[in-house]
């Protein structure tokens, strides 16, 4: 039985448009994405380590996998994942809210076709272009999409009686180092997870790595997990040149009490109940074994083993690599706006998983923007930092922190945020606020 999470009219409207643009083939692609989701949404045989969000997306059609999250929101929660949903739903909601104008915007349908192309390896960049156009349309601007060609050209054009302003959009994806580090941390935790599973234990491992993860031995966490199991104490702690950490007995009573009411999703609520803390999902791995609910095996009615991991890094090499500046992106923006009478740019960056690195990266970006020698007539550059949350009380959550940089006295947009209808969180950057419970 299909049960929606939210009957969101704007998201539903955007999905109808996507189906109209793509044609009947999109239905088959979504069905294939559902098959991948069902196959990948529980641990592999013999393991209790639950999948990473990227594993839920079809490797050959990321667009369909992302759209499935929006479809799940309004149609069928069985395919919904709160870690993936914020990557697409806020943008589709913005597009849907401006669709009456976007539908008649020159080049919009062609840009939507580019987003929907299954061969598009970076659909989130094209989705950003549609969302930025929607944002300007909602403030009353006349907009057209600039056709793509072999030459370097901007994405959008604002049309005035007096002339035009051309706009370039950039979506910075996680770097190779960041992806490698997350994958390595997961691989280090996997054999520790297996140790817990073998004896039916209930453990929370919290580790902060002092050295680069590539230098940590494969069985490092597994050895400490075994020492914790042999120790039989409530809390096992260690510190050496590679990391400091603790392994504690989790709060099984809280899990038992919650599952008496109903099945529990292997997700952020499980982590909060078991550990008594809330940690950003980018720094959490979940291991669990139990009796899966017949309607959705991601929900467990009882638990036979739990192994949760929260992790972080404090070594300078990691922080520096993840806090990379984007000088090359500024050069691309400058080249694409070359020859324009007036230009603007929007750059969307994923906020880092820890506050110290996020602050460092933000400062480096600010310094680079201020010091870059722009040859084009760039009037405004806005950097949008997006922080994905998994909250128990909301189906999808994303926080936005904005840094506008202008050469003019008057901003183009009255509110520099992309998601301007959202709640104002405070003066500080989103990553300094407590994660939602």
């Amino acid at each position: 039985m299909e049960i929606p999470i939210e009957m969101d009219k704007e998201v539903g409207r955007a999905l109808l448009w996507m189906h109209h643009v793509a044609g009947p083939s999109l239905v088959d692609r979504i069905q294939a994405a559902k098959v991948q989701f069902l196959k990948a949404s529980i641990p592999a045989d013999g393991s209790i380590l639950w999948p990473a969000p990227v594993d839920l997306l079809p490797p050959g059609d990321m667009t369909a996998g992302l759209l499935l999250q929006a479809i799940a929101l309004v149609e069928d929660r069985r395919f919904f994942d709160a870690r993936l949903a914020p990557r697409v739903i806020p943008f589709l909601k913005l597009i849907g809210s401006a669709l009456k104008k976007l539908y008649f915007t020159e080049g919009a349908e062609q840009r939507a076709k580019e987003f929907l192309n299954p061969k598009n390896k970076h659909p989130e960049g094209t989705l950003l272009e549609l969302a930025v156009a929607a944002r300007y349309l909602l403030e009353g601007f006349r907009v057209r999409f600039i056709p793509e060609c072999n030459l370097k050209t901007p994405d959008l054009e604002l049309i005035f009686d007096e002339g035009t302003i051309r706009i370039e959009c950039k979506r910075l994806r996680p770097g190779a180092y960041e992806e490698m580090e997350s994958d390595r941390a997961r691989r280090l935790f996997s054999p520790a997870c297996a140790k817990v599973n073998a004896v039916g234990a209930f453990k929370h491992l919290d580790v902060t790595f002092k050295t680069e993860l590539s230098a940590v031995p494969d069985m490092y966490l597994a050895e400490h997990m075994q020492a914790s199991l042999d120790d039989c104490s409530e809390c096992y702690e260690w510190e050496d040149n590679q990391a400091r950490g603790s392994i504690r007995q989790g709060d099984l009573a809280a899990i038992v009490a919650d599952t008496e009411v109903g099945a529990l999703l292997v997700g952020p609520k499980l982590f909060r109940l078991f550990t008594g803390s809330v940690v950003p999902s980018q720094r959490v791995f979940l291991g669990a074994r139990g009796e899966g609910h017949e309607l959705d095996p991601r929900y467990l009615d009882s638990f036979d083993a739990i192994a949760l991991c929260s992790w972080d890094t404090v070594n300078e090499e990691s922080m520096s690599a993840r806090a990379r500046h984007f000088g090359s992106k500024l050069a691309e923006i400058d080249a694409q706006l070359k020859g324009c009478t007036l230009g603007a740019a929007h750059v969307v960056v994923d906020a880092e998983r820890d506050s110290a690195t996020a602050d460092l990266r933000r400062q480096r970006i600010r310094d680079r923007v201020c010091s870059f020698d722009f040859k084009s007539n760039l009037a405004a550059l806005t950097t949008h930092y997006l922080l994905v949350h998994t909250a128990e009380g909301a189906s999808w959550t994303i926080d936005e922190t904005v840094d506008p940089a202008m050469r003019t006295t008057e901003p183009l947009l009255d509110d520099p945020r992309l998601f301007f209808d959202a709640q104002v969180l405070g003066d500080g950057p989103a990553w300094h606020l407590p994660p939602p419970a």
Side-chain angles (χ1 to χ4, degrees), residues 313-326 349-369 383 385 403 429 431-432:
T313 57
V314 293
N315 69 85
E316 292 185 4
E317 293 85 355
S318 170
M319 291 179 64
S320 180
R322 288 184 286 125
R324 63 197 184 282
H325 61 71
F326 61 177
V349 184
D350 290 319
E352 288 294 333
R353 62 177 180 258
D354 63 274
S355 296
T357 305
D359 287 342
L360 177 61
R361 187 183 193 188
R362 186 188 190 195
Q363 189 57 52
R364 286 185 174 183
I365 289 176
R366 282 175 163 179
D367 293 344
R368 195 71 180 102
V369 169
T383 310
Y385 298 88
D403 278 344
W431 49 85
H432 282 291

Side-chain angles (χ1 to χ4, degrees), residues 78-331:
R78 173 62 184 91
F79 300 97
F80 189 83
D81 186 277
R83 300 165 298 175
L84 284 175
R87 289 174 55 175
V88 63
I89 288 176
F91 297 92
L92 286 177
K93 186 174 178 65
L94 182 55
I95 290 167
S97 64
L99 193 56
K100 289 182 180 179
K101 295 182 177 181
L102 189 62
Y103 185 84
F104 297 102
T105 297
E106 181 183 344
E109 183 168 323
Q110 181 58 41
R111 201 55 52 97
K113 287 181 179 179
E114 293 168 12
F115 166 66
L116 292 163
N117 186 344
K119 295 181 180 179
N120 189 342
K121 295 182 179 180
H122 309 296
E124 287 166 291
T126 318
L127 186 64
L128 172 63
E129 296 168 17
L130 290 163
V132 170
R135 180 69 182 83
Y136 279 96
L137 287 168
L138 288 171
E139 285 214 12
F141 287 90
R142 292 166 57 200
V143 179
R144 83 173 184 95
F145 286 87
I146 299 172
E148 293 189 349
C149 62
N150 295 330
L151 301 176
K152 292 182 177 180
T153 58
D155 301 309
L156 306 169
E157 190 171 53
L158 306 183
I159 304 170
F160 306 87
D161 293 337
E162 302 83 5
T164 62
I165 298 177
R166 293 196 160 190
I167 297 176
E168 176 62 21
C169 306
K170 293 291 183 187
R171 181 75 166 91
L172 268 66
R173 298 179 297 276
Y177 186 96
E178 185 177 350
E179 292 179 343
M180 176 277 295
E181 193 172 56
S182 295
D183 182 66
R184 178 61 178 162
R186 184 179 177 85
R187 290 177 182 273
L188 288 169
F189 179 59
S190 181
C193 224
K195 296 279 187 184
V196 172
N197 185 34
V199 296
F202 297 86
K203 296 289 185 178
H204 169 218
L205 186 157
D206 181 71
V207 58
T208 300
F209 293 101
K210 298 180 180 180
T211 186
E212 289 191 274
L213 271 66
S214 58
V216 179
D218 292 347
M219 298 301 290
Y220 178 80
L221 293 182
E223 289 172 359
H224 282 291
M225 181 61 74
Q226 187 60 57
S228 168
L229 294 170
D230 294 340
D231 184 63
C232 296
S233 64
E234 286 291 318
C235 180
Y236 165 87
E237 297 179 321
W238 85 92
E239 183 167 3
D240 54 32
N241 292 333
Q242 293 174 316
R244 64 175 180 268
S246 64
I247 301 175
R248 301 176 184 274
Q249 187 74 14
D251 189 351
L252 184 58
I255 301 296
V256 171
D258 194 83
T259 51
E260 287 179 354
V261 179
L264 178 61
L265 176 68
V266 178
K269 185 178 180 181
L270 169 65
F271 188 91
R272 177 182 63 81
L273 291 173
F274 194 68
T275 69
S277 61
V278 178
V279 176
S281 60
Q282 299 95 320
R283 295 198 287 115
V284 168
F285 301 127
L286 305 171
R289 172 170 56 87
E291 185 67 30
H293 194 278
E294 59 180 4
L295 296 179
D296 190 341
R298 297 178 300 164
Y299 288 79
L300 302 186
D301 288 313
S302 61
F303 290 80
D304 301 319
I306 297 176
L308 306 185
C309 176
S310 48
W311 67 283
D312 203 354
T313 57
V314 293
N315 69 85
E316 292 185 4
E317 293 85 355
S318 170
M319 291 179 64
S320 180
R322 288 184 286 125
R324 63 197 184 282
H325 61 71
F326 61 177
S328 61
K329 293 299 179 184
L330 294 179

